[in-house]
Amino acid sequence: MDTYPPEFVIHLQPTLIVTGLTSLDNASDSSHQDQKAFNDSPPPPPPRPSAQGSSTSALEFQKSTLLQAMLSRNNVSYWDNTKGLAGSLFYVIPEQRSYVLPPTRKFLQQTGQQHLLPSLSPTSSSSPLYPDGLISPVFVKRHREQIPSVFIAIVDLWDRESTGADGEHQRNFSDKGPLGVIDPMEREHDIVLAQELLERRKAAQERSVKFATVILLQRSHMEDPAIEDRLNFVRKSAGLDNKNSFYVLPPSTAPEINDFAVNLQRSQYEGSMNYYKEQVKRHKKKKSNLPATSASVRPVQQQNAGVQQSALQHQGLSVQGWMLRYEFKMGMFSECKQDIDNAVKHYESAYGLLIDMFAVTSTITPGAQGLQARTRRWAEAKVLADCLCLKICKFHLYLDAPSTALFHFRRHLLVFKAFSESWRMGDDSFEYWAWLGKQYRVFGDLLDIGTKSGFKLPVPTPGSIVYGSFAGMTEGSKDLNKFSGIGLGGGTTGFGIGPGGDAYAYGGHVGGGRGGGTHGPGAGINPMLVLQHAGFFYHQAANCSVQRRLHFEMAEEAFPDSTVAPTPSASRPYPPSLQSMNAERGIDHLALTIELLTKSYEQFKRHKSGRMTLFLASEIAGTYYTAGKFEMALKFFERIGKTYRKEGWNLILTSILKWSIQCAKELGHWENVVEYLFEMMSPDMPSTEAKRQSIFDELVSILYTDIHPANSVTHSPLILSMPYINSFVSCTVQFQHRQAFVSSASKFQVQLSTFNGSGALPQPFRISFVQVEFSDPSLNHRFEDLRPYSQAEEKNETQSLENTKAISMKDRTGRTIEWNDCSKCELDATGSSPDSESVEGESRSQSIWKSDVRLDIHPFETKVLEGVIMPKKEQTVKVVKVVLGIVTDHWNVALEFPSLESLHELDLSGLQTQQQQLPNQDAPPRRKWLDVIEDSTKLVFRNLDKGVRQPTELRVVPRESKVEIKTLFKSPAYLDEYFPVVIRVKNGETCPVQMEMDVDLQPIDATIESLDSILLDPYKMANTLASSKNHHASQSLRGIKLACRHSSSDSEDTAQGIPVGKWAEQTVFIRALEIPTPRTIVCKVRYEISTGTDGQNVEKRTLTEKLHSFRVLFIPPFDAEVDYVPQSNVSTDKGTTGDLVPILEPNNVDPALGSVLIPALTHKEQYLMSTRVNNEGPWPVQVKEVKLVIGSAMDALLDMETMVAGMTKDPSSMEPVVHTLARSHSISRARERKRMLHESGVHVDVVDENVEPTGVQSNGIQEWRSGNLVTFNHLIEVVAADLELAPEQIEVGFLHVKWRRFEENSAENNIPFTETNVPLQPLSLPKAEVFMTVVLPNYAQVNQPFTARYTIHNPTGRMHELAMTVEPTEGMVYAGTMQTTVKILPYASHAIQMNCYPLNAGLVRLPRLKLVVNKRKPVGRRANLKGHQQQAQAPGQGQGQGQGQGQGVQGDVIVKVKGARTASRSGSSESVVIFVKPEAGTIE
């Protein structure tokens, strides 16, 4: 759209001028300058002047924010179908405060200043339209940028503080006013402001422009009590309406100012509409005052013409021209008013008048001559007609009438095509095609902008738009007879679109019955009557550009001189002008065509029209080729060729390949030329025999001759993946069988087939090698033809190759079948040849099997290459690809045919596969294998595997073994023992074989380190553990040679093998640790067996394996239960100064703990440890030694294991270590125990080591039967450095048992002893709390007093207050305090002495001493209320008071008595007792 004046094509809006928001430097002069660059994007709005000093003044900030808010809604674009208050209301133009409206013409005439305002009327000699111009864009620009519909003046009230006075002048008040608050200086400035606003209002009123003012207030005004009076004075003096003309903006924030700007524009919108409404009325009145069009004829004989007619004749513009001007102006003002219906009506009227003026003889003004072609006014009118058509089409799209818009556009093209013929500028001139291309492009731009702005293209449905019907058009647009100036005949002429897309005229009324072409709802849809997206019109513009270039080239050939004007000739009676020729020479037609095609491509791609995008891409490529940009053309050809190749459009692909070959030759890309020529040789490419022969000769010349220009250099390796292109040869590969044994021969065949008929090869084609690549590179085969190409074929037919046997015959269809035996291959240990290395693109270090064979591919031939592979291991052999190579002095070309499986792995299943059907052959129901009949030269295709395609995979499996494996063992097994398992193997083959066996012990969990082991010699393992205490556990045994069960010589039997039907036997030992769960053992027996001999009498042997797995359940051998009985010797101090308080005694060092002991905190107590060991399993065992491992012994074992682990340089790479802390005490657990005990200061030691376990002899091996229970007693001592820091439970140690399984009269008794660590239950330590001890004499006598000394111990870290109560008992008299309170310091003790007098003999209870601790808060780390209550409720040894004695005190704990003998352990009558002897002589 940038080729037309922007004023004629943009969407017009009401104009609003605002003053007072810009400074003098930033005046809006820049907004009035011409827009030089006006493209598809909307013209930029007027510049937003920056408010200087916005950071220093709140008023200037307010002005700047208001200006931005007013300009933010400016929407200058080609498309704006929003209506009313929903869209952009005004086109805002900022001006400085001194701006005044342009004076009216009447005012200038009255003052004699009419020369100051340039006139745009054709009647003025200074006008650019004088004397017969129509409309100038300057008129639209003037009303859009200079003459507004609304004028808003932004002013601010004068304020004394704004003058900068620093309080020098005090505010003066006049006493004349009724309120006495009128400032004379303020009133003076207010009068000046009111006068200014009054003059502006009068100037706006003269032009009928709506005027309004906005007064900006400052902060100081908000505190002025006279501000209301000042504002009313200014408003009344200026004569402004308080509702829609006078606004006040106090100091506000930016959001508030934005809302104010929106509301301000909305309030002025109605006044703006009234202004344009009056303008329309004014010009309609002017139009009505014009004379009739018949009176505008100016014959010289008419003497009675009026004065007005003479004036019009003097002006030079006809009445029809004035009518056009007024219709255009009314349409423009209606558009500004956003009255689209009236705007399109006036524009259509103006367009009809303008079209009539182009005619040779006007029908509206009879006798008037039309515009003369190639003149200035003619060019201006032509531009105006194009812009009016564009406006009309756009407004119909606004009104949701796309069919009407399309009709007007087609009508415009039809009318001017007829005019162009009359102007001698028809379709044989480049000028016409330039104009037509511009129309299509501009209309496409309009649709593109509209769709981006929200316009939705119509969806055609049958009956909505029918052939020959103008449904959906307005009544005014249906009547086309008023445009009869083009000479179409009478009043019944109509327009239509033909089947070919050409516009035509027909007789009859439009839409009137069958003659008009109207059909019912069932009629088809004519695409030319459907408004489509912009891509179609861009494509039409591109086609016009092509025709423009062609016709210009013809004109250039006729008139090559750019300085001489073209002269008429017989062939060109109406040549173009010199100016148009020179202008056309400066245009790059090809670049313009590419631009239009690219735009069309993008539109079709956006609307997902895949076929059309490919077509456009081919046209773009052809245009690039014409322009000499061969590289870009080649890229486009390759891009579109992929789709056509994939979908099988070979006819189109052939044309693309021809163009691609030409582009590649121009660029010197001979690799691409070779690729395209190979594809052109395909039988799927339609071509004549001569053309196919030419392609073949050119390909052979490039590959095999030195004189071709392409062979001036050696080319890089070229790899062609044949699934991506059409191949001239079909290549398939298959195995004879789907499964084979290891080290056995398996045949495969490669079939190369060519075709017959029009797609056959013109001549035989030589390839250099055929290479078959497998998934196992050691099986790759390469069949080579080492003959030079220059050697004649006839001379070699009689020669035979040493390692290749060839048989040839013809089938019933005449196809040549050639079979080549390539099974005798030689292994090339040096790897692939240099040629193959370069072809493959990488150097291969592995070996390859090679054979010589003739590789001439003849027309209508099937060449079969049969080879043999012999896999050496179990696997699935897959055919990766087959490579056909052409190797010459200058070329290395590889034609790759990947297998179907490889294509599927690469997700290329959508590509064309290499399996092509032969012509005139149906798909075979079975796959076929070409076989040779024995002792004959006849070839036969044998059917294999019904309904299955040719297999490209070979499953290689081991030969089925005939060996029998059995295992003998007694389950369940014990943990830690050397469990024997007998493995027996029977040779079921037909010959003696030598066998090896591997035994693997599977781990329980792969993520957990396993300590299990499997071994052959348990004594060696036991000796290793006894000597070094460590051994690397092994879970596998490799390479065990198997021998016969009763062989006299193992070495001899191993060398000769196991005879047929004999058994071999091997015993292995399994030692499982820690986890009682089943273990899985896997045995693998392998051997080699002969499968015959090959052709050279070399024995072929195949490796056979057999697996056997079994499970063994492991259970713990022993289970132990422990009872800990505290002993009575409780001690709280180890000091030497027994008279001192424990808290005052000196500290000492405990050598066992290696730490300092504080007597007041140290707690020592002895326990009788009774351990009951049970043999859980079903098998008896022999026990050699039972030992309790605690304290220093366990630490020593841990230190030894740590030392061993530290000596290992890389522990992660070593095998697991079998240590003595097996089963329940791993190294990590023992380390954690040691760390915990050392941190808490707890030490456990054995006090009495001479305690003998019951039922065990001291110097013998004991037999423990299943279910036997053996008891062991130990006296241990526990030392806690601080009972509060000690854990609740500690692990004492474990029971170390040395044992082995025993069975009477069994050979399995000959196994070494093993060691098991039986875990023991943890010991619960007492809690740190207040307790009592009592010291009593050994006995008492009746009627003899004695003293009982109680000592209260406080091992906690806080002071306790105890309530002591003494309760009397029977048989004992107590003399002393019965109730008191005792306070005891932390870590201190308190002694209480009780004098008692026994009355009875025997066990007598002492008076009950009840001490209650008030524990309102927990004491110590482990002391909590719940724990103390549980401990108080549980019966303890030597407890002074029973459970019921503490029930009445909530939160109190009764102090216990430790180390004393009690009379009862049940009930609430538990008391300390003493034995009382009777008096002397009372008992004899």
Side-chain angles (χ1 to χ4, degrees):
M1 291 187 181
D2 55 349
T3 57
Y4 293 114
E7 292 80 7
F8 281 167
V9 293
I10 64 174
H11 183 84
L12 300 180
Q13 293 176 315
T15 303
L16 184 148
I17 290 181
V18 56
T19 62
L21 297 179
T22 59
S23 62
L24 183 61
D25 297 335
N26 297 324
S28 60
D29 297 340
S30 59
S31 65
H32 297 164
Q33 61 185 359
D34 296 337
Q35 299 176 0
K36 298 181 179 179
F38 198 86
N39 46 20
D40 294 341
S41 61
R48 300 180 180 183
S50 61
Q52 298 181 356
S54 60
S55 60
T56 59
S57 174
L59 182 62
E60 293 186 2
F61 168 75
Q62 198 169 3
K63 290 182 179 181
S64 175
T65 306
L66 181 59
L67 177 61
Q68 294 179 4
M70 297 287 288
L71 297 179
S72 62
R73 304 191 70 186
N74 273 9
N75 184 19
V76 184
S77 63
Y78 298 111
W79 185 281
D80 186 5
N81 59 348
T82 57
K83 300 179 181 180
L85 302 178
S88 178
L89 301 180
F90 290 97
Y91 175 67
V92 181
I93 300 176
E95 295 288 353
Q96 57 183 348
R97 183 170 179 176
S98 60
Y99 171 82
V100 294
L101 289 173
T104 61
R105 182 178 289 109
K106 180 180 179 180
F107 175 78
L108 293 177
Q109 292 176 355
Q110 293 176 355
T111 58
Q113 301 177 2
Q114 57 269 21
H115 63 279
L116 298 178
L117 181 64
S119 176
L120 297 179
S121 175
T123 60
S124 176
S125 59
S126 61
S127 172
L129 301 179
Y130 181 82
D132 54 355
L134 296 176
I135 288 292
S136 173
V138 180
F139 176 79
V140 181
K141 184 177 181 181
R142 173 180 294 179
H143 282 272
R144 183 171 176 269
E145 297 182 357
Q146 297 179 5
I147 303 178
S149 61
V150 176
F151 181 23
I152 299 179
I154 310 296
V155 296
D156 55 306
L157 282 178
W158 180 86
D159 184 68
R160 183 179 299 275
E161 295 181 359
S162 63
T163 59
D166 299 334
E168 298 178 0
H169 305 282
Q170 299 295 331
R171 184 171 181 176
N172 299 322
F173 297 97
S174 175
D175 297 335
K176 298 179 180 180
L179 301 178
V181 292
I182 299 177
D183 187 354
M185 189 173 293
E186 288 180 351
R187 178 54 57 89
E188 181 180 355
H189 286 84
D190 292 346
I191 293 174
V192 174
L193 176 60
Q195 185 65 27
E196 178 186 354
L197 296 178
L198 179 62
E199 294 177 358
R200 290 178 179 272
R201 185 184 65 79
K202 290 181 179 180
Q205 189 173 2
E206 291 180 359
R207 281 194 167 274
S208 301
V209 175
K210 180 69 170 65
F211 177 77
T213 184
V214 177
I215 297 181
L216 303 180
L217 300 182
Q218 303 182 32
R219 293 291 181 184
S220 58
H221 291 146
M222 306 306 296
E223 301 176 357
D224 189 358
I227 189 63
E228 293 290 341
D229 295 337
R230 294 183 61 188
L231 292 176
N232 290 330
F233 174 78
V234 173
R235 180 181 61 80
K236 293 179 180 180
S237 300
L240 297 176
D241 184 13
N242 190 25
K243 184 177 181 181
N244 294 323
S245 300
F246 189 79
Y247 302 91
V248 178
L249 179 61
S252 307
T253 60
E256 295 174 347
I257 295 177
N258 291 331
D259 296 340
F260 175 80
V262 173
N263 296 328
L264 177 63
Q265 293 188 29
R266 289 183 176 180
S267 63
Q268 303 303 314
Y269 188 75
E270 182 179 359
S272 174
M273 297 298 102
N274 294 333
Y275 168 79
Y276 289 115
K277 183 177 180 181
E278 293 298 327
Q279 292 294 329
V280 173
K281 290 181 179 179
R282 186 169 67 89
H283 287 85
K284 184 180 293 186
K285 182 177 180 181
K286 287 184 178 182
K287 179 186 175 184
S288 64
N289 293 333
L290 292 174
T293 55
S294 59
S296 63
V297 182
R298 296 170 289 175
V300 182
Q301 296 80 6
Q302 293 183 359
Q303 301 295 332
N304 55 351
V307 178
Q308 187 176 4
Q309 182 178 356
S310 300
L312 291 175
Q313 290 177 358
H314 178 73
Q315 292 175 0
L317 186 62
S318 64
V319 174
Q320 186 174 349
W322 285 102
M323 293 172 61
L324 185 148
R325 284 175 55 88
Y326 294 142
E327 289 289 348
F328 179 85
K329 291 180 181 180
M330 287 187 290
M332 184 196 71
F333 291 126
S334 297
E335 181 182 359
C336 293
K337 197 177 62 170
Q338 307 304 303
D339 187 1
I340 304 301
D341 292 329
N342 287 324
V344 71
K345 178 180 177 182
H346 292 299
Y347 281 143
E348 285 180 349
S349 299
Y351 180 83
L353 293 169
L354 183 59
I355 293 300
D356 187 76
M357 295 179 67
F358 278 109
V360 178
T361 302
S362 174
T363 58
I364 299 177
T365 308
Q369 299 295 325
L371 296 174
Q372 186 177 359
R374 302 183 186 277
T375 61
R376 176 185 175 186
R377 300 305 180 194
W378 172 83
E380 293 176 354
K382 195 175 181 182
V383 171
L384 180 60
D386 294 342
C387 295
L388 284 175
C389 176
L390 189 63
K391 283 269 190 182
I392 294 171
C393 294
K394 180 172 64 174
F395 288 161
H396 280 302
L397 295 178
Y398 284 0
L399 299 174
D400 198 15
S403 58
T404 309
L406 179 62
F407 166 74
H408 278 281
F409 177 71
R410 297 287 186 188
R411 183 190 65 180
H412 180 67
L413 302 184
L414 176 65
V415 169
F416 274 88
K417 181 180 181 180
F419 284 151
S420 298
E421 295 290 344
S422 64
W423 297 330
R424 302 299 187 268
M425 297 169 56
D427 53 5
D428 58 344
S429 65
F430 67 86
E431 296 169 319
Y432 169 75
W433 292 107
W435 172 84
L436 186 60
K438 182 190 298 184
Q439 302 309 305
Y440 279 118
R441 177 170 184 170
V442 170
F443 193 74
D445 290 340
L446 176 64
L447 291 179
D448 185 25
I449 296 174
T451 53
K452 291 179 180 178
S453 300
F455 174 72
K456 294 183 180 180
L457 293 171
V459 179
T461 57
S464 60
I465 304 176
V466 295
Y467 176 76
S469 174
F470 299 141
M473 302 181 183
T474 61
E475 293 297 330
S477 62
K478 289 183 180 180
D479 188 9
L480 307 179
N481 299 320
K482 58 184 178 181
F483 308 125
S484 58
I486 58 177
L488 293 177
T492 58
T493 302
F495 296 92
I497 306 298
D502 298 330
Y504 71 99
Y506 62 90
H509 296 284
V510 177
R514 296 182 180 179
T518 302
H519 300 275
I525 298 174
N526 187 352
M528 298 301 296
L529 295 177
V530 178
L531 181 63
Q532 305 183 61
H533 58 79
F536 290 92
F537 299 96
Y538 284 138
H539 181 237
Q540 292 292 338
N543 293 335
C544 294
S545 179
V546 174
Q547 295 295 326
R548 175 184 182 182
R549 179 179 60 84
L550 295 177
H551 288 83
F552 174 71
E553 290 177 354
M554 297 170 59
E556 185 74 12
E557 292 178 358
F559 311 104
D561 195 350
S562 61
T563 59
V564 179
T567 58
S569 61
S571 59
R572 289 183 176 269
Y574 300 99
S577 63
L578 178 63
Q579 182 181 2
S580 62
M581 287 290 294
N582 292 335
E584 197 72 14
R585 289 187 178 99
I587 296 176
D588 189 352
H589 298 87
L590 294 175
L592 178 61
T593 304
I594 292 174
E595 179 187 358
L596 293 172
L597 288 174
T598 304
K599 285 178 172 288
S600 179
Y601 176 86
E602 293 174 353
Q603 292 291 330
F604 278 100
K605 185 178 180 181
R606 183 186 304 170
H607 290 81
K608 299 180 180 180
S609 302
R611 301 294 182 191
M612 195 64 187
T613 54
L614 294 175
F615 172 74
L616 291 173
S618 63
E619 289 196 345
I620 294 173
T623 308
Y624 274 122
Y625 180 83
T626 306
K629 299 179 180 180
F630 304 107
E631 187 172 359
M632 292 297 299
L634 186 60
K635 288 182 179 180
F636 274 91
F637 282 132
E638 290 178 349
R639 184 185 305 172
I640 61 181
K642 293 179 180 179
T643 304
Y644 286 123
R645 184 181 296 111
K646 176 181 177 180
E647 298 181 357
W649 297 91
N650 296 324
L651 181 61
I652 303 176
L653 182 61
T654 303
S655 176
I656 293 175
L657 291 177
K658 291 179 181 179
W659 286 101
S660 300
I661 290 174
Q662 297 299 325
C663 294
K665 287 181 179 180
E666 295 290 344
L667 295 172
H669 296 173
W670 294 104
E671 292 82 0
N672 297 86
V673 174
V674 171
E675 179 182 356
Y676 302 146
L677 289 175
F678 268 116
E679 189 168 6
M680 289 289 290
M681 288 173 57
S682 172
D684 297 329
M685 300 291 105
S687 180
T688 62
E689 294 183 1
K691 184 62 178 178
R692 194 173 296 277
Q693 181 66 44
S694 174
I695 294 172
F696 181 84
D697 295 340
E698 184 175 5
L699 179 61
V700 173
S701 176
I702 293 175
L703 293 178
Y704 291 103
T705 62
D706 297 334
I707 60 175
H708 197 277
N711 296 329
S712 59
V713 295
T714 301
H715 297 273
S716 58
L718 176 61
I719 301 176
L720 302 180
S721 184
M722 303 311 289
Y724 289 90
I725 64 177
N726 295 278
S727 176
F728 70 98
V729 60
S730 173
C731 177
T732 60
V733 60
Q734 64 174 333
F735 290 102
Q736 185 178 13
H737 302 288
R738 296 181 176 274
Q739 183 171 318
F741 295 126
V742 176
S743 301
S744 62
S746 299
K747 295 182 180 180
F748 67 91
Q749 286 185 354
V750 179
Q751 295 184 8
L752 304 177
S753 301
T754 56
F755 307 92
N756 191 15
S758 59
L761 288 174
Q763 296 178 10
F765 186 77
R766 170 79 59 82
I767 59 177
S768 302
F769 66 88
V770 176
Q771 183 166 320
V772 185
E773 297 187 8
F774 300 95
S775 56
D776 186 357
S778 63
L779 304 177
N780 292 349
H781 279 63
R782 181 184 179 94
F783 310 122
E784 299 178 330
D785 191 346
L786 302 179
R787 300 172 300 162
Y789 184 80
S790 60
Q791 190 173 4
E793 180 66 24
E794 291 79 6
K795 298 181 182 179
N796 292 277
E797 289 181 354
T798 58
Q799 298 179 4
S800 59
L801 301 177
E802 297 180 359
N803 298 330
T804 305
K805 178 182 178 182
I807 300 176
S808 179
M809 60 171 291
K810 289 184 178 293
D811 61 3
R812 291 177 299 176
T813 62
R815 172 179 291 274
T816 301
I817 309 297
E818 180 180 335
W819 176 81
N820 296 270
D821 184 9
C822 305
S823 59
K824 297 180 181 180
C825 296
E826 296 180 357
L827 182 62
D828 186 1
T830 60
S832 300
S833 63
D835 296 334
S836 65
E837 290 176 4
S838 59
V839 167
E840 297 300 327
E842 58 181 1
S843 178
R844 296 175 178 266
S845 59
Q846 63 271 10
S847 58
I848 192 171
W849 298 90
K850 291 185 177 181
S851 178
D852 297 338
V853 66
R854 290 189 179 92
L855 296 176
D856 294 310
I857 301 177
H858 295 77
F860 201 46
E861 179 192 42
T862 297
K863 185 183 292 291
V864 178
L865 308 177
E866 183 174 309
V868 177
I869 62 173
M870 189 175 296
K872 298 297 183 181
K873 59 182 179 179
E874 180 183 0
Q875 59 180 327
T876 299
V877 180
K878 297 181 181 180
V879 178
V880 178
K881 59 184 174 181
V882 179
V883 181
L884 308 184
I886 298 97
V887 180
T888 63
D889 295 338
H890 301 281
W891 290 93
N892 288 328
V893 183
L895 310 180
E896 292 186 350
F897 293 86
S899 63
L900 288 177
E901 287 73 12
S902 301
L903 290 177
H904 292 161
E905 292 177 0
L906 296 175
D907 197 15
L908 300 178
S909 58
L911 297 175
Q912 179 180 348
T913 61
Q914 70 269 29
Q915 292 188 347
Q916 300 178 1
Q917 299 291 337
L918 297 180
N920 302 326
Q921 270 190 330
D922 296 333
R926 299 170 180 260
R927 69 181 183 93
K928 295 185 176 181
W929 178 270
L930 184 61
D931 203 354
V932 181
I933 300 178
E934 297 182 359
D935 301 332
S936 176
T937 59
K938 186 177 181 181
L939 302 176
V940 179
F941 277 102
R942 300 186 184 276
N943 296 329
L944 302 175
D945 299 340
K946 180 179 180 180
V948 181
R949 69 169 187 267
Q950 298 173 344
T952 57
E953 292 184 358
L954 177 66
R955 182 183 177 188
V956 182
V957 297
R959 180 179 175 275
E960 185 178 359
S961 176
K962 298 181 181 179
V963 170
E964 183 180 356
I965 302 177
K966 291 183 178 180
T967 55
L968 302 177
F969 57 89
K970 295 182 179 181
S971 181
Y974 288 144
L975 291 175
D976 301 330
E977 75 163 325
Y978 299 99
F979 181 68
V981 177
V982 179
I983 303 175
R984 301 185 64 191
V985 181
K986 180 181 179 181
N987 181 12
E989 300 290 350
T990 58
C991 60
V993 292
Q994 297 178 359
M995 300 184 186
E996 290 185 355
M997 182 176 64
D998 297 339
V999 184
D1000 293 328
L1001 178 60
Q1002 300 294 329
I1004 301 174
D1005 189 348
T1007 60
I1008 301 177
E1009 179 184 13
S1010 177
L1011 300 178
D1012 302 341
S1013 60
I1014 185 171
L1015 59 153
L1016 295 175
D1017 188 358
Y1019 281 96
K1020 183 178 179 181
M1021 176 75 170
N1023 294 334
T1024 302
L1025 291 177
S1027 60
S1028 61
K1029 297 300 181 182
N1030 69 89
H1031 178 73
H1032 296 290
S1034 175
Q1035 286 83 33
S1036 61
L1037 298 175
R1038 293 286 184 266
I1040 304 174
K1041 303 293 183 180
L1042 296 180
C1044 289
R1045 181 178 181 183
H1046 303 291
S1047 175
S1048 60
S1049 176
D1050 293 342
S1051 60
E1052 180 181 356
D1053 182 73
T1054 303
Q1056 295 179 358
I1058 302 175
V1060 179
K1062 299 297 183 180
W1063 289 87
E1065 186 176 292
Q1066 179 65 47
T1067 302
V1068 297
F1069 294 87
I1070 303 172
R1071 189 165 188 254
L1073 305 179
E1074 292 192 351
I1075 304 176
T1077 188
R1079 266 65 167 182
T1080 301
I1081 299 92
V1082 179
C1083 301
K1084 181 169 66 175
V1085 177
R1086 61 179 179 272
Y1087 57 92
E1088 290 185 352
I1089 189 171
S1090 176
T1091 59
T1093 59
D1094 57 7
Q1096 301 178 358
N1097 295 327
V1098 177
E1099 183 182 7
K1100 297 181 179 178
R1101 302 184 65 85
T1102 178
L1103 180 64
T1104 306
E1105 296 180 348
K1106 185 169 184 179
L1107 297 177
H1108 177 74
S1109 62
F1110 59 95
R1111 293 169 64 88
V1112 179
L1113 175 63
F1114 284 85
I1115 63 174
F1118 309 109
D1119 184 26
E1121 294 183 0
V1122 185
D1123 290 336
Y1124 298 98
V1125 181
Q1127 302 302 302
S1128 60
N1129 51 342
V1130 180
S1131 176
T1132 58
D1133 59 87
K1134 287 290 184 179
T1136 57
T1137 58
D1139 297 335
L1140 296 178
V1141 180
I1143 193 64
L1144 302 177
E1145 291 187 3
N1147 301 336
N1148 56 76
V1149 178
D1150 189 353
L1153 290 175
S1155 60
V1156 178
L1157 297 180
I1158 302 175
L1161 303 180
T1162 304
H1163 175 81
K1164 294 183 180 181
E1165 190 168 1
Q1166 293 183 357
Y1167 294 88
L1168 178 60
M1169 182 177 173
S1170 179
T1171 307
R1172 296 178 299 277
V1173 182
N1174 180 25
N1175 181 10
E1176 290 186 339
W1179 316 112
V1181 296
Q1182 291 181 343
V1183 180
K1184 186 178 182 180
E1185 181 184 2
V1186 179
K1187 182 180 179 181
L1188 177 63
V1189 180
I1190 59 175
S1192 60
M1194 191 171 182
D1195 294 341
L1197 290 175
L1198 176 62
D1199 296 337
M1200 181 188 66
E1201 299 295 344
T1202 306
M1203 179 185 66
V1204 172
M1207 295 174 59
T1208 305
K1209 296 182 179 180
D1210 189 7
S1212 61
S1213 63
M1214 302 298 292
E1215 297 181 356
V1217 176
V1218 181
H1219 44 72
T1220 56
L1221 297 178
R1223 191 179 171 193
S1224 61
H1225 291 278
S1226 60
I1227 293 179
S1228 59
R1229 185 173 179 181
R1231 287 176 179 170
E1232 181 65 23
R1233 173 190 176 279
K1234 181 178 179 180
R1235 183 189 62 81
M1236 181 184 64
L1237 293 181
H1238 278 282
E1239 288 181 356
S1240 59
V1242 179
H1243 176 68
V1244 182
D1245 201 358
V1246 179
V1247 177
D1248 188 359
E1249 299 182 352
N1250 296 325
V1251 178
E1252 293 290 341
T1254 60
V1256 178
Q1257 299 180 4
S1258 59
N1259 297 322
I1261 297 176
Q1262 301 297 318
E1263 295 182 6
W1264 292 3
R1265 299 291 178 177
S1266 176
N1268 285 5
L1269 188 65
V1270 184
T1271 303
F1272 300 91
N1273 295 321
H1274 300 83
L1275 183 62
I1276 62 174
E1277 183 180 43
V1278 179
V1279 180
D1282 188 350
L1283 200 57
E1284 285 192 348
L1285 300 178
E1288 295 183 1
Q1289 292 181 342
I1290 62 171
E1291 292 186 3
V1292 176
F1294 56 85
L1295 205 62
H1296 184 76
V1297 182
K1298 193 171 184 181
W1299 63 281
R1300 69 180 177 185
R1301 187 195 291 214
F1302 171 75
E1303 292 186 14
E1304 296 181 358
N1305 301 325
S1306 175
E1308 297 180 356
N1309 296 333
N1310 190 18
I1311 57 176
F1313 285 92
T1314 185
E1315 297 177 354
T1316 297
N1317 299 318
V1318 182
L1320 303 177
Q1321 287 90 345
L1323 171 63
S1324 297
L1325 295 180
K1327 297 184 173 128
E1329 60 182 358
V1330 179
F1331 66 96
M1332 290 189 301
T1333 60
V1334 60
V1335 178
L1336 300 173
N1338 294 333
Y1339 60 90
Q1341 288 185 353
V1342 177
N1343 299 325
Q1344 294 292 331
F1346 68 93
T1347 302
R1349 295 180 176 84
Y1350 287 87
T1351 304
I1352 306 173
H1353 303 273
N1354 182 13
T1356 64
R1358 59 171 296 182
M1359 183 181 69
H1360 288 279
E1361 182 177 353
L1362 307 177
M1364 187 186 74
T1365 304
V1366 179
E1367 298 180 358
T1369 58
E1370 295 180 0
M1372 190 71 65
V1373 177
Y1374 163 70
T1377 304
M1378 300 297 294
Q1379 186 175 358
T1380 186
T1381 301
V1382 179
K1383 292 184 179 180
I1384 184 171
L1385 297 176
Y1387 309 111
S1389 60
H1390 179 76
I1392 298 177
Q1393 185 172 333
M1394 181 182 295
N1395 297 322
C1396 300
Y1397 189 85
L1399 301 178
N1400 299 329
L1403 290 177
V1404 182
R1405 296 186 182 91
L1406 270 69
R1408 287 180 292 182
L1409 180 62
K1410 179 181 177 182
L1411 291 176
V1412 179
V1413 180
N1414 186 9
K1415 304 189 75 174
R1416 298 178 181 175
K1417 294 184 179 180
V1419 179
R1421 183 186 311 171
R1422 298 189 299 126
N1424 54 68
L1425 180 60
K1426 180 178 178 180
H1428 282 288
Q1429 290 176 350
Q1430 293 177 353
Q1431 188 171 3
Q1433 295 173 3
Q1437 59 274 14
Q1439 181 173 325
Q1441 301 294 336
Q1443 178 180 1
Q1445 295 176 347
Q1447 295 291 334
V1449 182
Q1450 184 178 1
D1452 295 342
V1453 178
I1454 301 176
V1455 178
K1456 301 177 183 178
V1457 179
K1458 295 184 179 181
R1461 185 170 52 178
T1462 59
S1464 175
R1465 289 186 176 268
S1466 62
S1468 60
S1469 60
E1470 187 172 339
S1471 300
V1472 179
V1473 297
I1474 188 173
F1475 181 73
V1476 179
K1477 293 181 179 182
E1479 294 182 3
T1482 58
I1483 299 177
E1484 296 181 356

